[in-house]
Amino acid sequence: MDGQSIGDAWHHVVGTQPDPPVWLVVATGAVALVAVLPAPLWRLSRAIVTIAHEGGHGLVALLTGRRLSGIRLHSDTSGLTVSSGKPTGPGMILTAAAGYLAPPLLGLGGAALLAAGHITALLWTAIVLLAGLLVMIRNAFGALSVLVTGAAFLLVSWYAGDQVQAAFAYLGVWFLLLAGVRPVVELQRKRRYGGAPDSDADQLARLTGVTAVLWVSLFLVTALASLLAGGSWLVGH
C-alpha cells in the first residue's frame, strides 16, 4: 500500500459518511430490542455485554494505575477481571464501578459518533478496543469470543458498502444502549434473593460504605439516561 492509499484510507476513517435512511435507523433499533428482550436470544447476545463489562473493568484498572493481570470470559456469559494494587481507594472504586457503566456509556459514545456521521471511525474504534482487550484475555473461550467479534467489525469495515456499514454500526450502538439496562435489573433481582453477595454493587458497598442499592440505582440511572440521550441522537439525526 503506497502513501496515497494510506492517506485515502485514513481520510475515510476520520471523515464522515452519508446519513443512513430513517427506516434503517429504526429497523436496527427494533432488531437490537429483539436481541435483548426474549430470554433465549438474550442468553446468546448477553455475551457481547460481558465483553464490554469486563473490558470496562480492565480499561479503568489500567487508567487508574492498577496492574491488570488478565480477563476471562465464560460460556455462561459471566466474566472475571483480575487486577492488583491498593485494595481500597479511588482506583479500586472506579475499577469496580466501571463494569455495569461500560456498556451504556460505550453506547452513548457510539451514538455521538454516529450522530456526527463518523460511521467508519466507530467501526475502527471498536476494532482497536477489541484488539487491546484480546491481549489481556486469559482463556480460550474468551479469546474466541473477542476474535469473532473483532473479525465481524473488521470484515464489515473493510469489505461492506456504506449502507451495510451503517446498519452494522447502528445495530451495535442500539444494542449497547438497550442491553445496558437489563443486566442491572437482573443484578438487583439476584441480590433481592441473596444470589449475588459478591456483585460489583456489594463490593462497592464494602469499599465505600454506601449501600449497594444506591450503587445499583446509579448503574440503572446511567443506563436509562444513556439510552434516552443516545436514542434521541440516533433517531433525531
Side-chain angles (χ1 to χ4, degrees):
M1 181 179 290
D2 58 27
Q4 184 176 357
S5 298
I6 294 174
D8 291 343
W10 173 249
H11 286 302
H12 181 65
V13 170
V14 300
T16 59
Q17 286 72 48
D19 293 338
V22 175
W23 68 262
L24 185 147
V25 177
V26 175
T28 52
V31 172
L33 188 62
V34 170
V36 171
L37 289 182
L41 289 178
W42 176 243
R43 282 194 289 269
L44 298 174
S45 63
R46 199 183 194 281
I48 299 174
V49 181
T50 303
I51 292 175
H53 180 111
E54 300 302 332
H57 282 312
L59 178 60
V60 174
L62 291 173
L63 292 176
T64 56
R66 297 180 62 79
R67 181 179 178 184
L68 183 58
S69 302
I71 298 173
R72 302 177 70 86
L73 306 173
H74 306 298
S75 58
D76 63 354
T77 71
S78 65
L80 177 66
T81 299
V82 178
S83 65
S84 58
K86 189 177 179 181
T88 58
M92 186 64 200
I93 293 170
L94 290 172
T95 298
Y100 282 98
L101 297 176
L105 291 180
L106 284 171
L108 185 63
L113 282 174
L114 293 182
H118 294 294
I119 296 172
T120 304
L122 181 142
L123 296 175
W124 278 95
T125 299
I127 292 169
V128 171
L129 290 174
L130 288 166
L133 177 61
L134 182 62
V135 175
M136 299 310 302
I137 295 293
R138 295 293 182 266
N139 68 320
F141 180 83
L144 180 62
S145 299
V146 175
L147 277 171
V148 169
T149 306
F153 276 92
L154 183 61
L155 290 172
V156 169
S157 65
W158 198 260
Y159 293 107
D162 287 342
Q163 191 150 305
V164 174
Q165 287 192 18
F168 190 81
Y170 274 80
L171 176 61
V173 169
W174 273 121
F175 177 78
L176 286 174
L177 291 171
L178 291 165
V181 178
R182 182 162 180 170
V184 182
V185 176
E186 293 176 340
L187 169 63
Q188 184 56 26
R189 186 183 300 125
K190 289 180 182 178
R191 291 191 65 260
R192 185 181 304 151
Y193 297 102
D198 293 319
S199 70
D200 292 354
D202 290 281
Q203 292 181 46
L204 285 163
R206 291 191 287 269
L207 286 166
T208 64
V210 177
T211 178
V213 172
L214 289 180
W215 284 106
V216 175
S217 299
L218 173 64
F219 298 157
L220 184 59
V221 168
T222 301
L224 291 174
S226 297
L227 174 58
L228 290 174
S232 67
W233 294 344
L234 296 178
V235 175
H237 181 63

